[in-house]
């Protein structure tokens, strides 16, 4: 049994194929019901993060003392692709990006060991270095606000941290819960500077004393009265008042009560952030799912838990601010509806052509029998129902019925020649079997390399490419095993009838005869079509990803360095007020931090402008807000629409080049508000020790640092005294009154410990002045980097802006030592485009290999390959008409066009070669191929177009990705089908003539003479 007559075997043995497909359908249904629904596929980013905090430290010191040492320690580890560091006040974060496939657990241990080895070289005042990998998707599923009628803000904050977090983390697949706003409880020891100085004490000494006094500790074991008891030392104060009565040793046999040098209060930590909704301060929390979990299942589980909490505690109310799962649900439902609508339209097309309800039912069966088992294969490969897999299913909705249409149309044609349904099914299926195999394998050949793309892009497109491959291979199996078998037993023969005749066919045959008589017209027409394709590509603007219409937009606020929380909040309120005045906005939600904030505008359901149009219209007003940089966060990577990154080892030259480039970018009409990120200097109070006096008094620089830091901020958490409650420990924060920090004289008179145990005022041993330093420092691969960000002007796509930016004088002539750095989203885009080109070229070679195996001839495969040049023209014309730019989904649509155009030309050329092998002359064989294959080609094209119409219209859900793809496929299908039917036969005729001439001249070089070279026939052994 060969593949050509596998259909005949299925017809004669119908039970095995039926059992096979019932089993596959059941497996597919079970897999479909348990597959996770996600917005984006989970990408296994092998990333290790090293986070080190030193409260109060300036970025410059952190870079020299921590960041550079961390980078040097990890740079030699195997598998490292890129090292990025971000340094801000009190925090150094180094992100180590590893090559795809690197064992992440081993890498985390390697990085942790490297940090442990340099731990002794790091400053004393740092928190313990944290080394971890990213386990969450880094995207919030939803955000809620919490309010209560019988809890204080501190109590409500602990309720969220403790009760709500525990309940939500019990939901399967939940990874983390983050609170925004609120406060954390702590015991505040608010020192009076004058009283502290009068006792000769420092804040550090008070903190150390409390660490030793206020604690419960182990005391060993005793045996009294014949039984064993454990010994506990209970030194923890019962409340803040008891703690204030603690006696502290001040030396010389004297003690002082803590209440005599300061105030002890049960309060909360200094507020450094808060959240507001529509101007009212609220407490909010958000949560993220773990990798390989369902967005929908985790969100629904969280909603159920929150409902239980509300029922259990009616005084606490939860309000949903926004959720990202709504978009994923909409995309899932709209994709499923598009598939069903496309399938129905494709079936209607079959009926309109064949006018046979039995044949229509058989064709309709091919769609569920192909699609449902595909879910089983997707589940086996670990795929989920995400953007990429749903996009693939939408793309193949019309293709799944193609093979069945070709089979059923050929069977109906044989029946109308007077054969019985059984005989027609066997003969027709055997006749077209290899052609159907080759047409399907041409699509597989195009998309299989896409699924094998390397890198991060490959992890996205593995979902897409292999879903298409699994679906079309299942459609091939249905077309070869099920369609002919059901046709043999279900179709009803009605004797001799005309098939595929009519005025359109007569017109086509006359055109075909003309092109066969004037074959160079076909070649010229193909060349003109290819030239038009190049021209339309040049006319269309290009962008990487299409802009999506989102249900909210987020404005990022960057304040002048040195701004307080109150000043930042005032600007956030101004931005929120401006956004709330817009008719599209329903509510606003703000997250305010010291020096920066995010304000999210949540849109109404029936907004008139898209989110992109809204942002472009409002952005100039936000840019005019004084003392702040306000811009909308880009959809692509979270920064701004355009991000130009420069790198150098010379910070001064780097900053000067960035400023010059920013000025040149300001003159481009394609972009708005170009700015250098983090270029503002922050104000600093500088303390320079008087080394001679300090040495005489035994005052070290480290002692100065500790004294000042603890007095103004309090000690770091791991060194703070602790206060034990029944359910947790809270820190005891020893520091000066916040109001005292507002006076420079307070800082000048801070007591600093001396070697003799006494203290002296700070101003005696140090010069105090004012200075400035960088707000933040960004590094990449151990060099400084600076980013210039800008927004796109209305109606402009990124490709147009980048073309102009790359032509700027500074970009064309960067100074020596300064270079453009391609990183982040821009680097990923470059890798994707490169991998995509390699995948397309590989796919074309695989298509050529399929054709050579099918034809076993030299020139016909080149005719098929040449026909692929006709594929893009219709798609690019459709994009021009509809005003869409070239983007990633357009390239995906062009890939599908390559497979379908190859499919159409294979049906024509394979039939002509089959006829010629039977002795029919070339002209008659080509004309007969055009006559008999035009109808199935047109049928499959119209069915595919009908199947793609719901995708192109994208009536429900976001049309940003599906519409450009559908428009490209529909336009390309219609025009390429016409061009294939008209131009390919003439080109094929010319190719056969050329092949004959090559064979004639090449025969002189070949020594093989035929049968006479085989020698005498083998004799049987005696």
């Amino acid at each position: 049994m060969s593949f050509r007559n596998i259909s005949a075997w299925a017809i004669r043995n119908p039970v095995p194929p039926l059992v096979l497909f019932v089993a596959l359908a059941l497996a597919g249904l079970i897999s479909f019901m348990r597959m996770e629904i996600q917005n984006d596929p989970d990408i296994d980013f092998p990333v290790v993060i090293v986070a080190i905090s030193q409260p109060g430290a300036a970025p410059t010191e952190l870079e020299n003392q921590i960041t550079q040492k961390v980078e040097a320690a990890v740079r030699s580890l195997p598998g490292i692709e890129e090292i990025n560091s971000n340094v801000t006040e009190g925090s150094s974060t180094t992100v180590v990006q590893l090559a795809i496939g690197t064992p992440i657990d081993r890498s985390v241990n390697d990085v942790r060991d490297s940090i442990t080895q340099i731990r002794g070289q790091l400053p004393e005042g740092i928190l313990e270095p944290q080394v971890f990998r990213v386990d969450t998707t880094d995207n919030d599923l939803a955000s809620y606000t919490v309010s209560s009628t019988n809890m204080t803000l501190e109590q409500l904050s602990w309720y969220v941290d403790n009760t709500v977090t525990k309940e939500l983390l019990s939901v399967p697949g939940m990874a983390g819960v983050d609170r925004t706003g609120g406060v954390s409880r702590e015991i505040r020891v608010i020192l009076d500077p004058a009283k502290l100085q009068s006792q000769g004490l420092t804040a550090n000494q008070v903190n150390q004393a409390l660490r030793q006094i206020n604690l419960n500790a182990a005391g060993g074991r005793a045996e009294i009265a014949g039984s064993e008891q454990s010994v506990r030392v209970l030194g923890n104060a019962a409340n803040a008042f008891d703690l204030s009565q603690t006696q502290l040793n001040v030396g010389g046999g004297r003690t002082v009560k803590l209440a005599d040098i300061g105030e002890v209060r049960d309060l909360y930590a200094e507020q450094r952030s808060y959240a507001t909704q529509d101007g009212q301060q609220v407490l909010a929390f958000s949560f993220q799912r773990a990798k390989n979990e369902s967005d929908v299942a985790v969100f629904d589980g969280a909603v159920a838990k929150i409902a239980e909490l509300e029922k259990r505690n009616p005084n606490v109310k939860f309000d949903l601010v926004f959720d990202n799962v709504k978009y994923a649900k909409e995309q899932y439902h709209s994709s499923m509806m598009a598939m069903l609508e496309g399938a129905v339209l494709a079936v209607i097309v079959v009926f309109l052509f064949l006018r046979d309800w039995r044949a229509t039912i058989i064709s309709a069966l091919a769609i569920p029998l192909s699609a449902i088992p595909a879910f089983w294969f997707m589940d086996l490969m670990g795929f989920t129902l995400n953007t990429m897999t749903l996009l693939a299913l939408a793309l193949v909705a019309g293709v799944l019925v193609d093979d069945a249409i070709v089979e059923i149309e050929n069977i109906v044609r044989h029946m109308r020649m007077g054969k019985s349904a059984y005989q027609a099914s066997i003969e027709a299926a055997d006749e077209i079997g290899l052609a159907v195999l080759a047409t399907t394998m041409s699509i597989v050949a195009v998309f299989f390399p896409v699924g094998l793309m390397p890198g991060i892009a490959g992890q996205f497109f593995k979902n897409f490419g292999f879903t298409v491959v699994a679906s079309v291979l299942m459609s091939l199996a249905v077309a070869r095993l099920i369609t002919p078998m059901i046709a043999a037993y279900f179709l009803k023969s009605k004797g001799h009838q005309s098939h595929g005749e009519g005025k359109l066919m007569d017109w086509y045959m006359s055109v075909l005869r003309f092109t066969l008589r004037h074959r160079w017209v076909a070649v010229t027409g193909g060349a003109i079509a290819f030239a038009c394709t190049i021209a339309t590509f040049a006319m269309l603007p290009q962008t990487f990803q299409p802009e999506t219409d989102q249900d909210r937009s987020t404005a990022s606020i960057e304040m002048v360095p040195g701004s307080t929380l109150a000043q930042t909040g005032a600007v956030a309120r101004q931005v929120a007020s401006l956004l709330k005045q817009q008719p599209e906005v329903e509510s606003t939600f703000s997250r305010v931090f010291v020096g920066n904030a995010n304000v999210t505008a949540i849109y109404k359901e029936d907004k008139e402008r898209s989110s992109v149009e809204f942002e472009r219209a409002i952005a100039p007003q936000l840019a005019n807000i004084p003392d702040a940089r306000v811009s909308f966060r880009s959809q692509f990577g979270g920064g701004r629409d355009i991000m130009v990154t420069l790198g150098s080892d010379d910070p001064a030259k780097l900053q000067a080049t960035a400023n010059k480039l920013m000025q040149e970018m300001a003159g481009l009409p394609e972009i708005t508000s170009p700015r250098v990120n983090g270029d503002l200097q922050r104000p600093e109070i500088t303390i320079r020790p008087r080394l001679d006096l300090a040495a005489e008094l035994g005052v070290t620089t480290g002692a100065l640092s500790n004294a000042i830091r603890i007095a103004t901020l309090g000690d770091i958490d791991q060194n703070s005294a602790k206060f034990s409650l029944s359910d947790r420990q809270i820190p005891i924060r020893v520091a000066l009154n916040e109001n005292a920090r507002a006076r420079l004289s307070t800082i000048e008179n801070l007591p600093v410990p001396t070697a003799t145990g006494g203290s002296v005022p700070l101003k005696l041993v140090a010069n105090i002045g004012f200075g400035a330093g960088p707000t933040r420092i960004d590094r990449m691969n151990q060099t400084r980097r600076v980013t210039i960000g800008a927004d796109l002007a209305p109606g402009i796509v990124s490709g147009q802006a980048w073309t102009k930016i790359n032509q700027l004088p500074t970009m064309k002539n960067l100074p020596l030592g300064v270079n453009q750095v391609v990183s982040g989203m821009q680097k990923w885009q470059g890798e994707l485009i490169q991998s995509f080109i390699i995948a397309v070229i590989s796919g074309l070679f695989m298509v050529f290999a399929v054709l050579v195996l099918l034809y076993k001839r030299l020139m016909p495969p080149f005719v098929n390959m040449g026909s692929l040049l006709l594929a893009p023209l219709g798609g690019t014309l459709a994009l021009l008409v509809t005003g869409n730019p070239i983007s990633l989904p357009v390239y995906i649509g062009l890939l599908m066009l390559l497979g379908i155009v190859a499919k159409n030309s294979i049906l024509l050329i394979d039939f002509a070669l089959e006829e010629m092998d039977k002795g029919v002359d070339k002209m008659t064989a080509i004309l007969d191929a055009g006559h008999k294959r035009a109808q199935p080609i047109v049928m499959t094209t119209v069915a595919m177009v009908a199947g793609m119409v719901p995708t192109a219209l994208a009536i429900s859900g976001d049309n940003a990705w599906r519409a450009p793809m559908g428009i490209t496929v529909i336009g390309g299908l219609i025009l390429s089908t016409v061009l294939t039917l008209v131009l390919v036969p003439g080109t094929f005729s010319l190719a056969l003539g050329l092949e004959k001439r090559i064979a004639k001249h090449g025969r002189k070089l070949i020594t093989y003479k035929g049968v006479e070279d085989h020698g005498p026939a083998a004799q049987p052994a005696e």
Side-chain angles (χ1 to χ4, degrees):
M1 180 181 67
S2 66
F3 194 87
R4 181 187 287 273
N5 57 21
I6 193 173
S7 299
W9 172 85
I11 291 169
R12 296 187 181 101
N13 304 276
V15 175
L18 286 174
V19 171
L20 172 65
F21 274 89
V22 167
L24 285 173
L26 285 174
L29 286 171
I30 293 170
S31 296
F32 175 74
M33 287 187 289
R34 72 178 194 179
M35 287 179 77
E36 312 290 2
I37 300 173
Q38 298 175 346
N39 191 19
D40 294 317
D42 281 334
I43 304 302
D44 186 19
F45 286 104
V47 168
V48 181
I49 298 176
V50 181
I52 301 178
S53 297
Q54 185 179 11
T60 305
E61 276 68 47
L62 285 174
E63 181 189 30
N64 292 333
Q65 298 173 14
I66 296 176
T67 309
Q68 291 180 1
K69 293 178 180 178
V70 169
E71 291 174 344
V74 302
R75 66 183 173 187
S76 59
L77 296 178
I80 289 181
E81 278 197 345
E82 192 173 288
I83 300 175
N84 291 289
S85 296
N86 171 258
V87 188
T88 56
E89 181 185 345
S91 174
S92 168
T93 304
T94 300
V95 179
V96 183
Q97 185 176 325
L98 305 156
I100 299 293
T102 305
I104 185 66
D105 292 329
R106 191 190 73 189
S107 298
V108 170
N109 288 331
D110 289 344
V111 172
R112 186 177 288 116
D113 292 343
S114 299
I115 300 303
T116 302
Q117 290 173 10
I118 64 163
R119 180 64 181 86
Q121 303 175 29
L122 301 179
E124 289 183 5
I126 65 170
L127 296 175
E128 197 60 31
Q130 302 295 311
V131 180
F132 56 93
R133 70 178 190 181
V134 179
D135 284 323
T136 68
T137 56
D138 226 17
N139 294 319
D140 293 340
L141 288 185
S143 184
Y144 278 84
T145 59
V146 192
S147 57
S148 175
T149 56
N150 65 344
M151 290 187 189
T152 65
L153 183 60
E154 185 277 321
Q155 291 171 333
L156 189 60
S157 299
W158 175 241
Y159 180 76
V160 170
D161 291 343
N162 185 47
T163 307
V164 175
T165 299
K166 285 179 182 176
E167 289 292 328
L168 290 180
L169 289 177
S170 70
V171 175
M174 186 70 74
V177 181
D178 298 323
R179 169 167 62 86
T180 303
V183 293
S184 298
R185 183 180 176 185
E186 64 181 30
I187 302 296
R188 300 284 296 277
V189 178
I190 305 169
L191 299 175
D192 185 309
K195 293 179 179 178
L196 194 68
Q197 192 172 4
S198 68
Q199 295 290 341
L201 287 174
T202 66
N204 189 22
Q205 289 171 331
V206 174
N207 182 67
Q208 292 295 331
L210 289 177
R211 282 190 67 189
Q212 297 297 321
I213 297 170
N214 193 77
L215 81 162
N216 295 338
R221 186 171 61 241
E223 293 183 8
I224 299 174
S227 63
E228 186 176 282
Q229 296 93 11
S230 61
V231 180
R232 294 173 59 202
V233 180
L234 303 178
N236 188 74
N239 50 49
F241 175 77
D242 288 350
L243 182 65
S244 70
Q245 302 306 303
T246 303
Q247 295 287 334
L248 305 179
N249 186 353
V250 294
R254 295 183 301 112
T255 62
V256 63
K257 193 189 303 180
L258 183 59
D260 291 340
I261 57 173
E263 186 179 3
V264 181
R265 300 181 63 187
D266 189 347
L267 289 175
Y268 43 81
E270 180 183 353
Q271 193 169 18
R272 302 286 289 174
S273 68
Y274 63 87
T276 66
Q277 186 174 24
D278 292 331
Q280 298 296 317
Q281 189 169 159
V282 294
L283 189 152
F285 67 89
S286 55
F287 50 85
Q288 308 87 31
R289 67 168 173 84
K291 288 185 177 180
N292 302 316
E293 298 291 343
S294 167
D295 288 2
V296 175
V298 173
F299 175 74
D300 290 345
V303 170
K305 286 290 183 183
I306 289 171
E308 288 179 17
L309 287 169
E310 281 191 320
K311 189 175 180 181
R312 198 186 310 163
N313 191 346
N315 293 317
V316 178
K317 184 182 178 184
F318 297 85
D319 291 311
L320 179 67
V321 180
F322 57 79
D323 72 272
N324 289 321
V325 181
K326 180 182 177 183
Y327 181 82
K329 286 181 177 178
E330 285 179 353
Q331 291 302 95
Y332 166 73
H333 290 299
S334 60
S335 294
M336 289 295 140
M337 286 305 300
M339 281 187 64
L340 290 173
E341 292 161 2
V344 170
L345 289 173
V347 169
I348 292 172
V349 167
V350 175
F351 180 76
L352 292 176
F353 273 91
L354 296 181
R355 303 298 176 94
D356 186 328
W357 66 271
R358 290 175 181 265
T360 304
I361 290 175
I362 296 171
S363 300
L365 282 173
I367 297 173
L369 288 177
S370 302
I372 293 173
F375 290 115
W376 181 53
F377 291 101
M378 290 164 61
D379 193 26
L380 288 178
M381 290 184 282
F383 296 166
T384 59
L385 295 172
N386 55 62
T387 303
M388 301 307 291
T389 52
L390 292 174
L391 199 66
L393 291 171
L395 190 63
V396 299
V399 177
L400 295 182
V401 77
D402 277 11
D403 290 337
I405 286 176
V406 172
E407 291 271 7
I408 204 73
E409 193 277 339
N410 206 37
I411 292 170
V412 169
R413 183 174 64 82
H414 275 261
M415 284 171 52
R416 289 174 179 174
M417 293 164 58
K419 301 174 185 177
S420 67
Y422 191 90
Q423 181 187 5
S425 297
I426 291 177
E427 293 182 6
D430 287 350
E431 175 188 270
I432 206 167
L434 288 181
V436 170
L437 171 65
T439 56
T440 301
M441 294 311 293
S442 66
I443 295 179
V444 171
V446 169
F447 283 96
F448 188 72
V450 173
L452 296 175
M453 285 166 55
I456 294 172
Q459 295 202 51
F460 270 101
F461 279 90
K462 176 174 68 176
N463 290 259
F464 179 82
F466 288 151
T467 299
V468 172
V469 168
S471 301
V472 297
L473 285 177
M474 285 309 305
S475 75
L476 172 66
V478 171
R480 298 301 294 136
L481 292 173
I482 299 297
T483 302
M485 183 263 290
I486 297 178
Y489 296 100
F490 188 66
L491 287 182
K492 186 180 290 184
S493 178
K494 299 177 181 178
H496 285 276
Q497 289 180 301
S498 64
H499 181 78
E501 303 296 339
K503 290 183 179 179
L504 276 177
M505 182 60 75
D506 295 339
W507 176 83
Y508 169 63
M509 292 307 295
S510 63
V511 171
L512 186 56
R513 290 188 186 93
F514 174 80
T515 55
L516 289 174
R517 286 195 301 270
H518 306 86
R519 295 176 299 180
W520 284 103
V521 171
V523 177
T524 306
I528 293 172
F530 183 59
C532 291
T533 301
I534 296 173
T536 51
F537 260 104
M539 294 167 63
L540 285 166
Q542 296 203 26
T543 186
F544 180 67
Q545 295 185 57
E547 295 164 332
T548 58
D549 183 13
Q550 300 181 326
D551 58 0
R552 64 185 183 276
S553 292
T554 299
S556 297
I557 301 171
E558 183 184 357
M559 296 293 293
V560 174
S563 299
T564 64
L565 183 66
Q567 291 168 337
T568 309
V571 174
R573 287 192 296 274
Q574 187 178 352
V575 172
S577 175
L578 175 62
L579 294 176
K580 191 71 167 63
Q581 293 171 12
Q582 308 306 313
E584 293 88 354
V585 176
E586 183 173 1
S587 64
T588 59
F589 177 71
S590 305
R591 291 187 176 103
V592 183
F593 306 90
V594 177
N596 65 85
N598 297 315
V599 180
T600 300
I602 300 158
Y603 297 123
K604 298 175 181 176
E605 293 284 345
D606 55 346
K607 65 180 187 295
E608 295 182 359
R609 292 181 288 185
S610 70
S611 61
V612 176
E613 292 170 343
F614 176 88
E615 291 173 8
R616 301 274 171 87
I618 304 300
Q621 298 179 49
L622 296 180
N624 290 331
I625 294 176
D627 299 328
R629 292 177 171 180
V630 188
S631 60
F632 282 107
R633 187 182 296 171
S634 173
Q635 297 178 3
F636 316 122
R640 301 183 71 183
D641 294 333
I642 298 295
M643 304 283 281
V644 183
T645 304
L646 303 177
S648 175
D649 287 323
D650 186 340
K653 184 185 288 187
L654 179 63
Q655 194 66 47
T657 306
N659 291 335
K660 184 179 178 184
L661 178 59
M662 180 194 69
Q663 293 171 0
E664 294 176 359
M665 289 172 64
L668 297 178
E670 287 80 8
I671 57 176
T672 60
S673 307
R675 292 184 184 128
V676 179
N677 292 352
D679 63 320
L680 298 176
Q681 297 283 300
R682 68 176 198 147
E684 297 175 342
I685 295 175
T686 59
I687 298 173
R688 293 181 171 84
R690 298 174 181 170
L691 298 178
D692 50 350
L693 281 175
E696 288 179 12
L697 294 171
V699 176
T700 64
T701 304
L704 280 176
S705 172
N706 278 336
I708 298 164
R709 187 187 74 246
I710 294 172
T712 56
L713 289 178
D715 208 347
I716 58 178
D717 285 347
Q718 66 194 35
N719 293 337
S720 294
K722 299 294 188 294
F723 189 89
S724 296
L725 302 174
S726 60
D727 55 351
R728 69 192 191 275
Q729 279 194 325
I730 59 175
I732 299 174
R733 189 75 59 195
V734 178
L736 298 181
N737 192 325
E738 292 177 21
N739 295 329
R741 295 183 310 193
R743 297 186 296 274
L744 185 61
S745 59
T746 303
I747 297 175
E748 289 176 337
N749 291 305
L750 282 175
V752 178
T754 64
T756 59
S759 65
V760 294
L762 174 63
K763 64 183 178 182
L764 186 66
V765 291
N767 293 318
I768 302 172
F770 292 96
T775 311
R776 56 180 288 157
I777 296 172
D778 294 319
R779 295 170 58 83
M780 178 179 177
N781 293 334
Q782 298 182 278
T783 61
R784 285 273 189 105
R785 64 182 172 94
V786 169
T787 300
I788 303 102
D791 298 323
L792 291 172
I796 300 296
V797 296
S798 59
Q800 296 168 307
W802 275 111
T803 301
K804 292 295 183 68
I805 291 170
N806 290 328
Q807 296 301 316
L808 292 173
T810 299
M811 287 294 288
K812 293 173 74 174
N813 299 287
L814 287 171
L816 187 65
V818 178
N819 60 296
Q820 184 179 1
V821 178
V822 179
S823 63
M825 184 64 69
Q826 195 178 353
K827 178 183 177 183
W828 182 70
Q829 291 174 8
E831 289 178 353
L832 175 58
I833 292 170
Q834 182 182 1
S835 300
F836 210 76
I837 292 170
I838 294 172
V840 170
I841 294 172
S842 303
L844 293 177
F845 276 111
M846 290 179 68
V847 171
F848 184 76
V850 168
L851 296 172
V852 170
L853 291 172
L854 174 67
Y855 298 145
K856 301 182 180 67
R857 303 279 292 265
L858 176 64
M859 294 308 296
F862 285 103
V863 177
N864 284 110
M865 299 304 291
S867 70
L868 300 183
L869 300 177
L870 307 176
L873 179 58
T876 53
L877 288 174
L879 292 173
L880 271 176
V881 171
T882 55
N884 281 291
I886 294 175
S887 58
L888 194 55
V890 170
Y891 286 115
I892 293 171
L894 291 176
L895 270 181
M896 179 55 79
L897 282 176
L898 293 178
I900 293 170
V901 171
K903 193 172 186 175
N904 291 340
S905 61
I906 286 171
L907 288 175
L908 279 173
I909 294 174
D910 177 70
F911 189 89
L913 289 174
E914 290 272 354
E915 292 293 295
M916 289 169 62
D917 288 342
K918 296 175 184 176
V920 179
D921 67 275
K922 179 175 71 173
M923 186 77 168
T924 306
I926 295 174
L927 285 170
D928 198 28
H931 184 263
K932 289 187 170 64
R933 289 288 178 259
Q935 178 159 310
I937 288 173
V938 172
M939 282 179 67
T940 54
T941 298
V942 176
M944 178 71 179
V945 168
M948 290 301 295
V949 164
T951 298
L953 294 177
I955 296 171
S956 61
D958 182 32
N959 63 356
W961 275 76
R962 288 182 291 144
M965 184 182 72
I967 289 167
T968 303
V969 172
I970 288 174
L973 270 175
I974 294 171
L975 188 57
S976 64
T977 299
V978 173
L979 294 176
T980 299
L981 288 171
V982 173
L983 303 182
V984 167
T987 311
F988 174 60
S989 177
L990 271 175
L992 289 178
L994 180 60
E995 184 182 62
K996 194 172 181 180
R997 291 192 189 93
I998 292 173
K1000 182 179 178 181
H1001 294 291
R1003 196 173 289 121
K1004 298 174 183 177
L1005 302 175
I1006 297 173
T1007 60
Y1008 176 66
K1009 303 300 181 185
V1011 179
E1012 59 194 72
D1013 279 357
H1014 291 187
Q1019 299 296 321
E1022 294 182 1

